[in-house]
Amino acid sequence: MFTRRHIISTRDFTREEIDHILNRAEELEIYAGGVGKGAGRKSDLLEGKILANLFYEPSTRTRLSFEVAMKRLGGEVINVSSPETSSAAKGENLVDTIKVVSKYCDIIALRHPKEGASRMAASFSSVPIINAGDGAGQHPTQTLLDLYTIKKENLLDKLKIALIGDLKYGRTVHSLAYALSLYGAKLFFVSPEALNMPEEIKMDLKEAGADIFESTDIKEVIKDVNVLYLTRIQRERFPDQTEYNKVAGTYRITTELIRENEGVVIMHPLPKIDEIDAEVDQMENARYFTQAFYGIPVRMAVLSILLER
Ligand code: NCD
């Protein structure tokens, strides 16, 4: 279905393709490590294959989980984890880097501050490119692990989700909103006016038949949803820091707020800054650390499908 294809945007997926990846993730989860039934098991599915992680922006979870996913499947990983230690610091452009690195490996995961960088890289690469985040653009593998988390909660077919925080610059919510429009989810966009979901994305979603409600206040929607998806205000994307200061700290999830909807599932792509009170981490509702773990089986699924022989 996907062998040797690039993964750039969730807009490129059909629902069947996403379901295929999520099903594969479920099959591979026993090799994902952690505690429980998968602990210690290893697969040789990707033996002899090399993943290049090219990360030109900070990352903890995405880079490490790509690396762990590859290693748990018997593959190997080479890394550029900061622009300062690569030839980018000498002025090499991304096109030249991609032309060379794609000859060193079988697949590339690329994170870059410029929107569109992965799409551009794909046209110069001789191996599949996985977009691991391109500026404020897209982050498709994050969406896949978000969907996997939602699926594990049995909510994928009856989802009412509030996407909260920085909907303007947040690539995770851009990717997620497109994918959710394939599942008939009811979408609640909650942000300060200055960080609304971009108009063109809303137009695309409406064209796809999505049911969208917008608000600036979590309290207005909390009783109507079964998932709260929090995001960090993306400070590094603001052209003007005084604008960031005006919206920093707008939302804060507290234990009292969650009691207004006892069963609500709380997700966050992480890192979280101050948008969730520390006590909420202890509540049954909090799923973000499990969600981060699912990055491993889901990225195993993506790598194995793209590299299928
Ligand atoms: C996100 C990202 O990089 O877009 N992090 C991640 O990959 N889990 C979210 C963020 O940085 O706020």
Side-chain angles (χ1 to χ4, degrees):
M1 194 182 251
F2 284 105
T3 315
R4 305 194 48 77
R5 192 175 115 177
H6 306 289
I7 302 243
I8 307 298
S9 162
T10 53
R11 298 187 71 184
D12 304 336
F13 288 129
T14 63
R15 180 174 166 159
E16 290 66 37
E17 289 170 334
I18 294 178
D19 287 337
H20 177 63
I21 297 171
L22 302 184
N23 290 336
R24 177 68 67 90
E26 215 138 43
E27 286 162 26
L28 292 176
E29 198 180 318
I30 50 162
Y31 302 112
V35 288
K37 59 184 168 133
R41 279 219 220 179
K42 212 174 163 203
S43 155
D44 58 5
L45 201 61
L46 295 183
E47 198 180 333
K49 299 288 184 190
I50 297 177
L51 161 72
N53 265 335
L54 291 187
F55 278 64
Y56 295 103
E57 258 196 350
S59 171
T60 303
R61 274 151 292 271
T62 306
R63 190 168 68 79
L64 291 183
S65 64
F66 264 115
E67 180 151 355
V68 171
M70 194 66 186
K71 289 181 167 168
R72 297 261 192 224
L73 292 178
E76 292 183 67
V77 185
I78 54 175
N79 269 291
V80 166
S81 52
S82 71
E84 303 83 53
T85 58
S86 75
S87 282
K90 300 181 186 169
E92 184 171 58
N93 66 36
L94 182 64
V95 172
D96 286 1
T97 306
I98 293 292
K99 282 182 181 168
V100 173
V101 174
S102 65
K103 294 280 184 282
Y104 288 176
C105 64
D106 302 289
I107 191 160
I108 295 174
L110 174 68
R111 171 167 291 191
H112 199 278
K114 281 217 178 73
E115 201 168 325
S118 285
R119 177 96 51 211
M120 196 270 286
S123 59
F124 293 95
S125 175
S126 53
V127 299
I129 297 277
I130 303 172
N131 180 6
D134 63 324
Q138 284 258 333
H139 192 353
T141 59
Q142 177 68 44
T143 291
L144 293 168
L145 75 90
D146 295 341
L147 294 174
Y148 190 69
T149 309
I150 294 166
K151 187 179 175 195
K152 291 273 191 174
E153 297 296 325
N154 289 318
L155 291 174
L156 206 44
D157 294 321
K158 43 177 180 273
L159 188 63
K160 293 175 284 177
I161 186 169
L163 306 184
I164 302 164
D166 189 345
L167 307 187
K168 179 178 183 186
Y169 296 117
R171 56 195 174 200
T172 66
V173 280
H174 299 164
S175 284
L176 183 57
Y178 277 114
L180 289 175
S181 70
L182 301 173
Y183 288 87
K186 188 160 172 44
L187 304 175
F188 296 78
F189 293 161
V190 182
S191 64
E193 299 279 351
L195 299 179
N196 279 349
M197 184 64 87
E199 281 305 319
E200 65 272 22
I201 298 185
K202 279 191 285 194
M203 271 162 51
D204 289 343
L205 294 171
K206 283 179 186 156
E207 234 166 74
D211 190 356
I212 299 173
F213 178 82
E214 286 186 279
S215 174
T216 55
D217 188 358
I218 301 180
K219 286 216 167 99
E220 198 185 2
V221 310
I222 184 147
K223 293 198 172 73
D224 298 325
V225 300
N226 40 31
V227 175
L228 297 175
Y229 188 100
L230 271 294
T231 63
R232 170 180 73 89
I233 311 270
Q234 310 277 298
R235 183 170 46 156
E236 68 277 27
R237 310 262 179 250
F238 282 70
D240 177 352
Q241 286 305 299
T242 56
E243 293 302 311
Y244 169 76
N245 295 336
K246 285 187 200 159
V247 287
T250 308
Y251 299 115
R252 193 165 190 119
I253 300 294
T254 60
T255 50
E256 295 77 59
L257 182 72
I258 297 308
R259 285 198 194 100
E260 291 189 27
N261 181 350
E262 298 274 353
V264 77
V265 167
I266 312 167
M267 296 174 59
H268 193 307
L270 303 179
K272 58 184 170 69
I273 309 303
D274 55 5
E275 54 276 4
I276 301 180
D277 264 3
E279 300 85 73
V280 175
D281 293 358
Q282 315 306 325
M283 296 179 88
E284 284 280 302
N285 314 66
R287 289 297 188 290
Y288 26 91
F289 295 115
T290 313
Q291 181 187 354
F293 168 71
Y294 289 148
I296 306 219
V298 166
R299 292 187 168 108
M300 285 172 136
V302 169
L303 291 166
S304 73
I305 289 170
L306 291 178
L307 292 172
E308 239 154 15
R309 285 166 241 245

